[in-house]
């Protein structure tokens, strides 16, 4: 999606999708994507499996499930170049990243907001990764959320 597009997704299932990048949502150029009451299960990509947001894009995910998605590299969620990703009342469970980067990567002046979410049973096999990576120019805000049984660099 490009050029100030606005997309709303409600009560949808995304499952068994495959892509080079952005198997569920790939958004850029000030586009806005709102995902509500939806499930994203068993999607795969070389990188940025669930969300690939760039160039002032905004992705908001609420009351949704993201489970058993996998990426070879660049994480399951990737925001860069002044983009914004928000998760509220969401469940992120059993997602996997094989090489490079964390499960969620927020870089180049981007923002990640996590509110009232449960983040559990994720794994990243790279020794240089964690569950969430935020560079020095970006912002992270977490409230009323739980992070349980996640692992990085030990597989």
């Amino acid at each position: 999606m490009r050029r100030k597009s606005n997309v709303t997704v409600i009560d949808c299932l995304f499952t068994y999708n495959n892509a080079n990048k952005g198997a569920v949502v790939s958004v850029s150029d000030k586009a806005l994507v709102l995902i509500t009451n939806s499930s994203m299960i068993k999607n795969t990509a070389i990188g940025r499996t669930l969300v690939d947001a760039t160039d002032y894009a905004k992705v908001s995910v609420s009351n949704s499930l993201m489970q058993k998605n996998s990426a070879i590299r660049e994480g399951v969620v990737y925001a860069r170049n002044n983009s914004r990703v928000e998760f509220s009342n969401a469940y992120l469970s059993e997602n996997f990243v094989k090489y490079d980067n964390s499960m969620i990567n927020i870089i180049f002046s981007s923002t990640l907001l996590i509110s009232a979410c449960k983040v559990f049973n994720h794994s990243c096999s790279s020794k240089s990764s964690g569950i969430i990576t935020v560079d020095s120019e970006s912002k992270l805000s977490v409230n009323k959320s739980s992070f349980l049984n996640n692992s990085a660099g030990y597989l």
Side-chain angles (χ1 to χ4, degrees), residues 92-105:
L92 291 87
S93 169
E94 301 173 80
N95 296 295
F96 175 75
V97 180
K98 187 170 183 178
Y99 302 115
D100 304 329
N101 302 111
S102 301
M103 183 190 72
I104 298 173
N105 297 278

Side-chain angles (χ1 to χ4, degrees), residues 6 10 14 27 42 74 77 136:
N6 291 322
I10 302 170
F14 298 88
V27 59
K42 295 185 178 178
E74 297 180 323
V77 175
S136 62

Side-chain angles (χ1 to χ4, degrees), residues 3-144:
R3 305 269 180 227
K4 299 182 184 177
S5 299
N6 291 322
V7 176
T8 301
V9 177
I10 302 170
D11 295 323
C12 291
L13 171 64
F14 298 88
T15 189
Y16 294 105
N17 296 292
N18 298 291
N20 183 23
K21 293 181 181 173
V24 176
V25 174
S26 184
V27 59
S28 65
D29 295 333
K30 300 181 183 177
L32 169 65
V33 176
L34 304 173
I35 300 173
T36 305
N37 297 327
S38 295
S39 295
M40 292 152 267
I41 302 169
K42 295 185 178 178
N43 298 288
T44 61
I46 291 173
R48 311 171 191 174
T49 307
L50 293 178
V51 175
D52 178 18
T54 189
D55 299 329
Y56 298 90
K58 180 179 176 185
V59 177
S60 178
V61 179
S62 63
N63 301 311
S64 295
L65 169 68
M66 289 144 282
Q67 185 175 39
K68 296 185 179 178
N69 298 287
S70 62
I72 294 174
R73 64 176 189 269
E74 297 180 323
V76 175
V77 175
Y78 202 87
R80 66 192 185 285
N81 299 340
N82 297 290
S83 293
R84 181 180 184 98
V85 177
E86 301 175 359
F87 293 107
S88 64
N89 295 308
Y91 290 87
L92 291 87
S93 169
E94 301 173 80
N95 296 295
F96 175 75
V97 180
K98 187 170 183 178
Y99 302 115
D100 304 329
N101 302 111
S102 301
M103 183 190 72
I104 298 173
N105 297 278
I106 308 300
I107 61 173
F108 304 128
S109 301
S110 293
T111 301
L112 171 63
L113 303 174
I114 299 174
S115 178
C117 292
K118 294 193 183 206
V119 181
F120 55 97
N121 295 331
H122 298 288
S123 56
C124 302
S125 62
S126 174
K127 291 181 182 178
S128 64
S129 64
I131 299 306
I132 300 173
T133 296
V134 180
D135 74 5
S136 62
E137 299 170 347
S138 297
K139 298 175 186 172
L140 169 66
S141 176
V142 179
N143 68 58
K144 298 182 182 178

